[in-house]
Amino acid sequence: MTDLPSVQRNGVVIDQTFAEAFPMKATRIVITAHTLEWARHAAVSATGFATSVIACGCEAGIERELGPHETPDGRPGVNVLIFSMSGKELGKQLERRVGQCVLTCPTTAVFAGLPRTAGGDVAALGKNLRFFGDGWQISKVIDGVRYWRVPVMDGEFVAQEDTPVVKAVGGGNLLLLARDTDGALAAAEAAVAAMKRLPNVVMPFPGGVVRSGSKVGSRYANLNASTNDAFCPSLVGLVPHSELASNGGAHAQQIGCVMEIVIDGLTEADVAAAMRVGMEAAIGVGPAGGLLRISAGNYGGKLGPFHFHLHELLGAGDAA
Amino acid sequence: MSGWNLRLRQVPALRVDLRGVTPSALAGLSAAQVEQLPVGHGNEMLALAELFNIAPGKEEGALRFEGDLERFDRIGWQMDAGRIRVEGHAGHYAGGCMRGGELRIEGRAGLLVACEMAGGTIDVKGDVGDFAGSTLPGSMDGMRGGIFVVHGNAGERFGDRMRRGTALVHGGAGAFLGSRMVAGTIAVGGSVGAHAGYGMRRGSIVFAEARAALPEGTRSAPTFVPNRAATPVFWALLARDLARHGGLFSDLPMRRIERHLGDLSADGKGELIVCL
């Protein structure tokens, strides 16, 4: 990729490359509670340890917070997006996470957050959790939607029967190559803040940022992913294909820290939009803030069918 | 599917059974075929045209009956789609076993309206007789789905053995409201006779009248117990849905509730909800 032409914006080099993403299954759930704080507690717990499907089973994050006028029960709430590699795994993760983190959290209720389509896939929400009620659970159909009322010690836990599952896109990404840790964090934080303002996407890693970007495969047979050595500043001079060595294009030798942002979205367009605003925000940080170059994780087409070309996203003709 | 207007020629001498005269059954029939449709009159069969002046209607898939149809039973019986509008009163079993579509009755309706209804919407502007939204004699389940709205008053045994769906009475209701109810929702605006919720296993009966007391025989009944747990989520969902029907129900989302659980002699998971 380093031999290909690159463009610059605000002094930041944008590699002529693309982020390679893969298909996932996703759903959105709405968690409400007596106060926003308790809805947040539930959502944070439910999306914990959900950074990468490599070992977590799902990738999840808080999409946004909701006012009382936006939720089914008129209480404050939180939208959560959960992505998995299959509908079956998504259902398993939902049941575990909602059961352990939402059912248990004071005053919460949980609803489907996506519109239902005729014949579309669904995953169980309250359908199996109802058995916690030990026979005292009650089904209630309101306006054609089935809810379960499970008696709990603060009253009752209300959960919608199921939630629609849709095809989605996982693994959109940006690599932010900076002079040092401060510069990389500043660019990453700016990008994540801009992306969080968009709907239908989450950045599942801690704070939206991942420092252990990976490549496909490993020298160890039992690992299917390993460190992205081409972008590890600590391996410059050791890795023949390093992106940060003298043959790595402009600024290559000045780069001391790289951060990645991973984006999961409900559609290809959602991921593209998030990558675009993320790049623009990071470019705003510029070399003055320490950001020197933006690249993306490209695995030679081995990972997935969705390719997000950085120059196209930015409109390369405008780049200067 | 085309529409038809049916204007009553004169009140028949005997009761007429209108089962089979539904939008789906009439779809694709010519005017001559519609006029020759057989309907029961006492123990004989008459052609539909002997009872009604029949003309094509403007509204696609809609039947409009004009006149006093109090002697006409089973209007909309087993209806599954389309719309029927009765511009007058209706007889017994109106909307019985209905599975879909919309039945509107501008006047009052007789006994067993919406009995074993499973889907669609029934809207009665006037009063309904006994056993509305209930079960047919000998059946296990009453109303099984759909929305049933009565703007007037209801007779006794409203929603007997009801299993699913939503039934609203803007006026009052007679004794044994929601008796032997299995599930579903009944909401009543006016006063209610004795023994509401008798033998109910699950389901919700909402008394919307401001400061409504529990019906006679319920508060004193040892088979219902007051419940003090907060159920704001369930109530918000249900109250918002009921509020769509206006009238006394329109301010339900803003009202506090008091719940009584029972009937403990059955399964004890039903609830009587009094809006404060």
Side-chain angles (χ1 to χ4, degrees):
Chain A
M1 70 181 79
T2 50
D3 294 335
L4 296 169
S6 60
V7 295
Q8 285 197 27
R9 267 199 176 181
N10 191 30
V12 178
V13 175
I14 316 295
D15 282 355
Q16 169 80 349
T17 186
F18 59 87
E20 191 176 340
F22 47 88
M24 297 184 93
K25 290 291 180 77
T27 190
R28 176 191 284 132
I29 59 172
V30 180
I31 299 171
T32 65
H34 194 60
T35 62
L36 180 59
E37 189 180 1
W38 283 109
R40 256 194 233 124
H41 283 313
V44 167
S45 296
T47 57
F49 186 58
T51 55
S52 168
V53 287
I54 292 173
C56 301
C58 72
E59 299 181 2
I62 293 174
E63 184 188 18
R64 74 180 180 97
E65 292 172 355
L66 304 168
H69 60 286
E70 298 175 285
T71 59
D73 61 2
R75 305 189 302 168
V78 175
N79 267 355
V80 167
L81 290 177
I82 304 179
F83 298 78
S84 203
M85 295 306 283
S86 70
K88 189 178 173 186
E89 181 64 25
L90 184 67
K92 197 163 88 180
Q93 290 293 329
L94 257 183
E95 191 172 318
R96 283 184 182 169
R97 288 165 183 274
V98 174
Q100 296 303 308
C101 307
V102 184
L103 165 65
T104 56
C105 183
T107 76
T108 57
V110 64
F111 305 97
L114 290 172
R116 185 174 299 270
T117 55
D121 288 343
V122 294
L125 206 53
K127 188 177 177 180
N128 298 328
L129 295 177
R130 74 179 195 259
F131 295 113
F132 181 74
D134 199 25
W136 297 106
Q137 68 274 14
I138 302 172
S139 154
K140 195 77 194 166
V141 179
I142 299 174
D143 198 17
V145 179
R146 183 183 296 280
Y147 302 93
W148 285 98
R149 303 166 64 186
V150 181
V152 284
M153 294 194 303
D154 71 354
E156 61 185 18
F157 170 63
V158 176
Q160 196 167 329
E161 162 106 330
D162 51 33
T163 176
V165 171
V166 295
K167 289 179 180 174
V169 177
N173 64 80
L174 292 175
L175 290 168
L176 304 174
L177 289 67
R179 193 176 293 121
D180 51 25
T181 306
D182 285 340
L185 284 179
E189 287 167 12
V192 169
M195 292 165 155
K196 277 189 169 177
R197 287 195 280 272
L198 296 187
N200 306 334
V201 293
V202 290
M203 284 61 73
F205 283 94
V209 185
V210 51
R211 57 99 173 263
S212 59
S214 58
K215 66 177 182 292
V216 177
S218 162
R219 71 169 65 187
Y220 304 107
N222 59 343
L223 288 183
N224 55 18
S226 59
T227 191
N228 195 350
D229 44 20
F231 286 94
C232 287
S234 49
L235 298 180
V236 172
L238 304 179
V239 177
H241 53 272
S242 175
E243 288 281 339
L244 314 177
S246 54
N247 61 345
H251 304 308
Q253 290 175 295
Q254 300 174 47
I255 292 164
C257 183
V258 179
M259 297 289 181
E260 181 175 353
I261 299 174
V262 173
I263 307 115
D264 295 337
L266 293 183
T267 67
E268 194 173 359
D270 292 324
V271 174
M275 286 180 63
R276 182 183 305 113
V277 301
M279 270 195 288
E280 284 166 353
I283 287 166
V285 171
L291 181 70
L292 303 176
R293 187 176 143 199
I294 297 178
S295 190
N298 165 356
Y299 309 95
K302 284 186 278 188
L303 190 65
F306 302 105
H307 297 168
F308 299 95
H309 293 266
L310 302 188
H311 288 186
E312 287 175 21
L313 290 175
L314 280 179
D318 302 330
Chain B
M1 193 183 283
S2 56
W4 298 95
N5 291 341
L6 297 94
R7 177 174 293 164
L8 185 64
R9 287 172 182 270
Q10 60 184 36
V11 176
L14 301 171
R15 298 199 75 81
V16 175
D17 188 339
L18 275 185
R19 78 178 79 189
V21 183
T22 62
S24 299
L26 269 57
L29 298 188
S30 65
Q33 287 171 313
V34 172
E35 286 171 358
Q36 292 307 311
L37 266 181
V39 292
H41 176 247
N43 60 1
E44 61 178 353
M45 302 300 279
L46 292 181
L48 198 58
E50 289 189 42
L51 297 162
F52 295 98
N53 289 320
I54 301 170
K58 290 177 185 168
E59 201 182 345
E60 183 76 8
L63 304 184
R64 198 178 74 176
F65 290 96
E66 296 175 47
D68 179 3
L69 271 64
E70 211 150 13
R71 286 192 181 173
F72 287 76
D73 298 333
R74 299 183 199 267
I75 298 172
W77 180 258
Q78 294 182 335
M79 175 179 173
D80 56 1
R83 289 176 298 283
I84 295 180
R85 182 187 178 94
V86 181
E87 296 182 349
H89 305 314
H92 307 316
Y93 299 101
C97 301
M98 183 170 156
R99 297 189 296 272
E102 185 182 293
L103 170 62
R104 289 191 176 277
I105 298 169
E106 299 296 329
R108 61 178 176 272
L111 303 171
L112 288 152
V113 189
C115 60
E116 300 194 12
M117 170 189 188
T121 303
I122 297 178
D123 188 284
V124 182
K125 287 279 184 276
D127 299 340
V128 296
D130 297 340
F131 290 98
S134 172
T135 173
L136 289 166
S139 283
M140 288 299 287
D141 296 328
M143 187 171 162
R144 296 141 197 221
I147 300 171
F148 175 31
V149 181
V150 178
H151 294 267
N153 299 308
E156 300 192 350
R157 291 276 184 182
F158 184 92
D160 182 45
R161 283 194 184 273
M162 177 176 178
R163 189 177 190 93
R164 204 169 290 138
T166 303
L168 292 96
V169 182
H170 284 260
F176 290 97
L177 172 78
S179 55
R180 305 185 294 175
M181 192 173 174
V182 181
T185 303
I186 295 175
V188 185
S191 58
V192 172
H195 309 302
Y198 170 84
M200 74 190 289
R201 291 169 57 193
R202 294 186 300 276
S204 312
I205 302 181
V206 178
F207 302 101
E209 190 181 36
R211 295 181 300 282
L214 277 184
E216 184 190 339
T218 308
R219 190 178 288 279
S220 60
T223 55
F224 277 86
V225 290
N227 186 268
R228 56 177 171 260
T231 54
V233 178
F234 154 73
W235 179 240
L237 296 169
L238 184 67
R240 286 175 171 206
D241 184 50
L242 297 177
R244 294 186 295 126
H245 297 278
L248 273 175
F249 305 110
S250 55
D251 67 344
L252 288 188
M254 275 82 76
R255 307 257 298 272
R256 287 186 305 112
I257 59 170
E258 180 185 287
R259 293 194 314 140
H260 294 256
L261 305 184
D263 186 336
L264 300 181
S265 66
D267 207 15
K269 293 198 286 184
E271 58 191 347
L272 304 179
I273 300 173
V274 178
C275 299
L276 304 174

